[in-house]
Amino acid sequence: MDEKTIAHHMRTLGCTREEAIALIQDDADVDRGIAKEWDLTPEQLKNQRKLANATTRKTSGTAKRTKKDNPTKQAVITTVAQALAGYDNVKVTNPERVVDFEIDGVRYSLTLTAHRK
């Protein structure tokens, strides 16, 4: 055993020489995987793993979100649909989002997106 390590443990931990030697020997045994009397029982290890994976927040299901109507988007889509009235098959698929229409046999859709602040 190294005298320098024993002196370091005695000084930093405030323990006797015998306690420092026992500490160093116990650390070496733990590093080698030798079981000690303070090790956890298999049941305690199982409980410890279970508690380590516990979450702090309980989930009580999914919350139902209600969609708010946006009259500004509805007005814009209505105006766009009226402007496209001269073309074929103009349909408002979603009153706040999509207008579908057809020009010369090619189908188009116009999607309105409101960006967040």
Side-chain angles (χ1 to χ4, degrees):
M1 231 173 268
D2 185 20
E3 287 297 323
K4 186 176 178 182
T5 306
I6 294 171
H8 174 73
H9 284 309
M10 288 173 58
R11 185 179 73 251
T12 56
L13 300 175
C15 59
T16 64
R17 181 175 174 80
E18 292 78 23
E19 290 173 335
I21 292 171
L23 175 70
I24 294 168
Q25 288 174 344
D26 287 340
D27 285 345
D29 288 346
V30 168
D31 288 343
R32 281 188 237 119
I34 299 172
K36 291 292 186 175
E37 64 271 2
W38 59 78
D39 287 342
L40 297 177
T41 64
E43 184 177 317
Q44 289 172 327
L45 281 172
K46 182 178 176 183
N47 192 28
Q48 176 190 13
R49 286 188 196 105
K50 179 179 152 189
L51 292 175
N53 293 327
T55 59
T56 58
R57 181 175 69 105
K58 291 184 180 179
T59 57
S60 61
T62 58
K64 297 286 183 181
R65 291 183 59 179
T66 57
K67 185 178 173 296
K68 296 179 185 175
D69 288 337
N70 191 338
T72 306
K73 283 179 74 175
Q74 289 176 356
V76 170
I77 289 293
T78 304
T79 304
V80 169
Q82 290 171 354
L84 295 172
Y87 297 108
D88 299 331
N89 296 331
V90 177
K91 283 191 282 185
V92 178
T93 310
N94 184 335
E96 289 187 10
R97 186 146 202 255
V98 180
V99 175
D100 292 329
F101 57 98
E102 190 174 319
I103 300 174
D104 297 330
V106 180
R107 294 176 59 189
Y108 296 94
S109 65
L110 187 73
T111 304
L112 179 65
T113 304
H115 299 283
R116 292 185 179 184
K117 295 177 182 177

